[in-house]
Amino acid sequence: QKEVEQNSGPLSVPEGAIASLNCTYSDRGSQSFFWYRQYSGKSPELIMSIYSNGDKEDGRFTAQLNKASQYVSLLIRDSQPSDSATYLCAVGTGGGNKLTFGTGTQLKVEL
Amino acid sequence: DGGITQSPKYLFRKEGQNVTLSCEQNLNHDAMYWYRQDPGQGLRLIYYSQIVNDFQKGDIAEGYSVSREKKESFPLTVTSAQKNPTAFYLCASRGTSSPLHFGNGTRLTVT
């Protein structure tokens, strides 16, 4: 079992819709969770971090964490074509000293 | 502007040659990391360093070496022992209780 799992996609949503991206992790001791966005050929950029159960909202983005289910998700409201990218889920492991990444979900927002 | 600088952006080498990738940060971050990204495999941790003159192996350290002589610099050497060196290499850093931030990456091609 992979430590951090994501559906590779592509996930296609129409412009203006809500995109829902999901991630599961295996280490129950994980304390920190991140979502990175990566455009093709570019480096990942941090868009959300979450550390406690529940929801965290930042603009059009909402991160949701459920430690009991070992599940973290990212919702993107009012999806725009510029949101088309690969979204990487990262989980803090090894006491938080390193991040383990999922393989990413490719999101396509269609006009 | 503060940030993480990786150079060069593109690097080409012949098989059997060692090559060193540069990573410099002016964010005053203690921890620095090297990740490798291959298509469809997400980011994999090569080495990380939490303090000057100390570093730890990540998940795929074989065929790589690092040094951390200065807080600002964490160069990665890809040796001839690395069997599949062609990849996108990402350097990252983080401060205390802050998320990981990436440089722009170096794309290494070995033929």
Side-chain angles (χ1 to χ4, degrees), chain A residues 6-23:
Chain A
Q6 296 180 255
N7 188 319
S8 62
L11 172 66
S12 293
V13 299
E15 184 178 6
I18 295 175
S20 177
L21 305 163
N22 303 314
C23 172

Side-chain angles (χ1 to χ4, degrees), chain A residues 28-77:
Chain A
R28 282 196 171 275
S30 300
Q31 296 293 321
S32 54
F33 307 86
F34 306 90
W35 283 99
Y36 286 83
R37 178 177 62 200
Q38 186 175 26
Y39 292 112
S40 181
K42 303 295 185 182
S43 63
E45 56 179 322
L46 179 71
I47 52 172
M48 289 290 288
S49 59
I50 187 166
Y51 302 93
S52 55
N53 279 332
D55 295 0
K56 179 182 178 182
E57 186 174 319
D58 184 1
R60 296 187 296 113
F61 300 99
T62 298
Q64 299 175 317
L65 175 61
N66 184 326
K67 289 186 179 180
S69 300
Q70 295 173 248
Y71 176 93
V72 58
S73 65
L74 179 70
L75 301 177
I76 306 175
R77 289 181 298 282

Side-chain angles (χ1 to χ4, degrees), chain B residues 30 48-56 66-71 73-74:
Chain B
D30 286 317
Y48 64 106
S49 168
Q50 298 181 74
I51 196 169
V52 173
N53 292 323
D54 188 41
F55 46 83
Q56 288 77 41
V66 294
S67 63
R68 187 85 187 276
E69 297 177 0
K70 298 186 301 181
K71 187 175 186 177
S73 179
F74 191 40

Side-chain angles (χ1 to χ4, degrees), chain B:
Chain B
D1 287 336
I4 304 167
T5 302
Q6 289 188 246
S7 61
K9 187 175 181 179
Y10 298 97
L11 191 54
F12 298 88
R13 280 293 183 270
K14 294 289 187 184
E15 194 173 314
Q17 294 179 332
N18 291 355
V19 60
T20 297
L21 281 60
S22 171
C23 178
E24 304 278 332
Q25 55 99 359
N26 60 4
L27 301 168
N28 200 34
H29 285 170
D30 286 317
M32 298 187 73
Y33 302 77
W34 275 104
Y35 284 87
R36 167 183 173 142
Q37 188 174 35
D38 297 278
Q41 293 197 45
L43 276 67
R44 293 183 290 167
L45 183 62
I46 304 172
Y47 268 99
Y48 64 106
S49 168
Q50 298 181 74
I51 196 169
V52 173
N53 292 323
D54 188 41
F55 46 83
Q56 288 77 41
K57 292 182 178 180
D59 301 316
I60 56 164
E62 185 176 349
Y64 298 98
S65 65
V66 294
S67 63
R68 187 85 187 276
E69 297 177 0
K70 298 186 301 181
K71 187 175 186 177
E72 301 79 18
S73 179
F74 191 40
L76 173 74
T77 296
V78 184
T79 75
S80 56
Q82 168 50 232
K83 297 190 188 311
N84 296 296
T86 295
F88 188 39
Y89 289 88
L90 288 158
C91 179
S93 72
R94 70 176 181 88
T96 305
S97 302
S98 71
L100 202 65
H101 290 278
F102 288 90
N104 289 331
T106 292
R107 198 167 294 277
L108 173 65
T109 302
V110 176
T111 58

